[in-house]
Amino acid sequence: MVHVCVLGENRQYSEDTLLKDVAKEVQASFSHEILLATVDGKLQELHKKVKEGTRVEFLTAADKPGIQTYRRSVILILLKAFYEVVGAEHIRKVSVEYAIANGLFIESDGDFEKTQELVDRIKAKMQEYVAAQIPIMKRNVTTDEAIEIFRRHRMYEKERLFHYRRVSRVNLYSIGGFEDYYYGYMVQNTGYLKYFDLILYRDGMMLLLPDQKDPEHVAEFRDREKLAVVLDETECWGRQLEVPTVGALDDVICHGKISELILMQEALMEKKIGDIAEQIASRPDKKIVMIAGPSSSGKTTFSHRLSIQFCHQPCTFRNSVSMQINDRLNRRMFCEYLADFFFCPTVCLASIQFSIDQVIDTGHMHHFKALLPQELRQILPCSHNSGGIIPRHGIHKSFL
């Protein structure tokens, strides 16, 4: 017998007891299904055995490690279903490219048509796996063995990536003979993966998954078309630069071509910024460009690069108000204050609009400064360049 402290209570178990068995005993204490355990503060999968003198806690999909484990496991059964429905011999590529809202975009390529009928068959196959409660097995192999397995499964990009892996061994997860590599833990069997949806999206599929706040419900997908376009463009850039994957990037670095890659990327970026400048210049009635993003995301740098592109445009591009504040600390204080200022429910939007109009038309700041506290009035300039286009890039909390 081994003595274990479970949720603060001392218990005894036989030496062959699994954490999964202990989880069943205490499941009633949790609002959501237990997916993972912590043993003395370290994450453990439920197929592990209990150990003498350890302290055991449990995690559900309402916990960050739990929801990450859930999503990772659903991806595994999706790939298994995809390979079984389509056939490995017809697949050149299938990968998770990016996330939009509560979905993961799945891109694929091969000798098959991407239709609703194919998506429905894959989804049905995934549901079969869930109903069958197939164990998700884990085994440790050498890196060379892993490379051979990826080659056999036609996962050539992973084969390429693992040629640069420094450690000699790796953990692989499998379902019914289908093996793959994941950096993280998995649920004990497919029966835990009840909540997901799969829809046809653009030229691929969107895998919809529950949120950490509501693990038993898959919300309706809310498309973000502009974000999808930008993410697709990012993937296109990767292919243009011949670095669509990390393995390809490793090849470039090892062949001493990283400087050339950086220059090519900069050329693409300058072209994109030039295109944005042309779009802005084509709308002369617009006087303010708002650049939103989190702190240190490159808003100020982008603003300067955009202003350079306006040298060849028929309109002028002025420095933003925040960039006329010389002291960096004061500039940050001003930008952070504006983020909270515009969210304040007591702010009179009409006063804000009038003040901004005054800055645009006359260049005088006194109307705008009157809305701010005394400490910010002292650091703002008395006037701003009138006319042209004013970039507003100090927004650390997006409210667009």
Side-chain angles (χ1 to χ4, degrees):
M1 301 294 287
V2 294
H3 299 80
V4 182
C5 180
V6 180
L7 305 181
E9 178 184 343
N10 293 321
R11 302 190 181 199
Q12 289 186 350
Y13 296 98
S14 60
E15 294 182 355
D16 59 349
T17 302
L18 303 179
L19 289 171
K20 175 185 175 182
D21 302 323
V22 181
K24 289 180 180 178
E25 291 184 6
V26 300
Q27 180 62 65
S29 302
F30 292 82
S31 302
H32 311 290
E33 190 168 23
I34 294 171
L35 303 178
L36 211 59
T38 61
V39 179
D40 289 340
K42 296 182 179 181
L43 291 173
Q44 293 277 312
E45 292 164 323
L46 297 182
H47 68 266
K48 297 285 188 178
K49 294 182 180 179
V50 295
K51 294 182 179 179
E52 173 67 32
T54 53
R55 183 181 184 85
V56 178
E57 304 285 342
F58 291 102
L59 301 173
T60 71
D63 303 293
K64 185 176 180 179
I67 194 66
Q68 290 174 335
T69 296
Y70 187 92
R71 292 169 179 167
R72 199 178 295 121
S73 303
V74 174
I75 292 171
L76 176 61
I77 68 169
L78 166 66
L79 293 177
K80 163 69 173 172
F82 195 99
Y83 272 80
E84 185 163 336
V85 170
V86 176
E89 67 278 10
H90 301 298
I91 300 172
R92 283 190 291 271
K93 173 192 175 183
V94 55
S95 61
V96 179
E97 293 299 324
Y98 50 76
I100 296 180
N102 62 320
L104 297 174
F105 179 64
I106 314 297
E107 186 180 59
S108 58
D109 183 41
D111 301 322
F112 56 88
E113 292 186 11
K114 302 171 188 177
T115 63
Q116 185 62 53
E117 188 267 340
L118 175 62
V119 172
D120 291 341
R121 287 174 59 199
I122 294 171
K123 180 180 175 181
K125 182 63 67 175
M126 293 172 68
Q127 291 169 335
E128 283 182 26
Y129 297 155
V130 173
Q133 299 186 6
I134 305 171
I136 297 178
M137 309 302 294
K138 178 180 180 179
R139 70 185 182 113
N140 186 267
V141 301
T142 66
T143 300
D144 289 339
E145 286 180 87
I147 290 172
E148 177 56 35
I149 290 169
F150 295 143
R151 183 184 299 114
R152 190 165 64 245
H153 286 304
R154 302 167 69 91
M155 297 179 180
Y156 300 123
E157 291 301 337
K158 284 190 177 178
E159 176 191 353
R160 186 183 198 177
L161 176 64
F162 269 62
H163 281 296
Y164 295 98
R165 187 175 174 85
R166 292 185 177 182
V167 296
S168 59
R169 304 193 68 83
V170 61
N171 291 324
L172 296 182
Y173 290 92
S174 66
I175 303 177
F178 177 82
E179 292 185 292
D180 203 356
Y181 168 78
Y182 290 88
Y183 187 76
Y185 297 101
M186 293 285 186
V187 298
Q188 198 270 336
N189 65 64
T190 57
Y192 291 89
L193 309 174
K194 306 178 185 71
Y195 311 104
F196 64 87
D197 198 3
L198 193 65
I199 62 174
L200 189 66
Y201 181 76
R202 297 171 74 88
D203 59 343
M205 303 180 297
M206 188 66 73
L207 175 63
L208 305 182
L209 296 167
D211 186 75
Q212 182 179 340
K213 297 178 181 178
D214 190 6
E216 278 86 33
H217 178 251
V218 179
E220 182 179 351
F221 178 64
R222 296 178 61 185
D223 194 7
R224 298 180 182 177
E225 186 175 350
K226 289 185 178 180
L227 177 60
V229 169
V230 172
L231 292 172
D232 281 341
E233 186 177 35
T234 301
E235 297 299 324
C236 181
W237 279 19
R239 289 189 290 270
Q240 280 184 272
L241 297 172
E242 299 182 350
V243 284
T245 63
V246 176
L249 179 60
D250 287 340
D251 283 347
V252 170
I253 295 171
C254 289
H255 291 131
K257 296 182 178 180
I258 188 63
S259 296
E260 180 182 342
L261 175 64
I262 293 172
L263 291 174
M264 292 168 61
Q265 189 276 335
E266 285 295 308
L268 282 173
M269 192 64 188
E270 285 301 325
K271 182 180 182 302
K272 181 65 176 178
I273 296 174
D275 292 342
I276 293 172
E278 286 186 7
Q279 291 180 36
I280 296 171
S282 68
R283 303 169 69 184
D285 58 314
K286 305 301 181 185
K287 296 298 183 181
I288 296 182
V289 176
M290 304 187 78
I291 305 168
S295 180
S296 301
S297 60
K299 298 182 296 297
T300 302
T301 301
F302 176 78
S303 175
H304 288 321
R305 294 178 71 172
L306 187 60
S307 67
I308 292 171
Q309 294 294 332
F310 271 85
C311 294
H312 305 287
Q313 299 297 335
C315 58
T316 56
F317 194 80
R318 309 296 183 183
N319 283 333
S320 69
V321 174
S322 65
M323 287 311 297
Q324 294 184 50
I325 303 172
N326 294 325
D327 183 80
R328 185 182 181 90
L329 181 61
N330 285 340
R331 186 188 308 151
R332 182 179 180 83
M333 180 174 66
F334 171 72
C335 294
E336 292 287 1
Y337 175 81
L338 280 188
D340 294 327
F341 176 76
F342 284 108
F343 274 100
C344 179
T346 62
V347 169
C348 177
L349 295 181
S351 297
I352 295 174
Q353 183 62 57
F354 173 76
S355 301
I356 291 176
D357 289 342
Q358 289 294 308
V359 173
I360 294 172
D361 296 336
T362 70
H364 296 306
M365 296 288 295
H366 59 271
H367 288 287
F368 183 68
K369 290 173 70 173
L371 296 174
L372 306 177
Q374 182 61 36
E375 61 269 24
L376 291 182
R377 295 180 201 174
Q378 296 174 356
I379 65 174
L380 275 178
C382 295
S383 63
H384 184 74
N385 295 324
S386 60
I389 297 171
I390 303 173
R392 166 70 262 143
H393 57 79
I395 305 166
H396 294 181
K397 300 177 184 176
S398 175
F399 55 88
L400 300 179

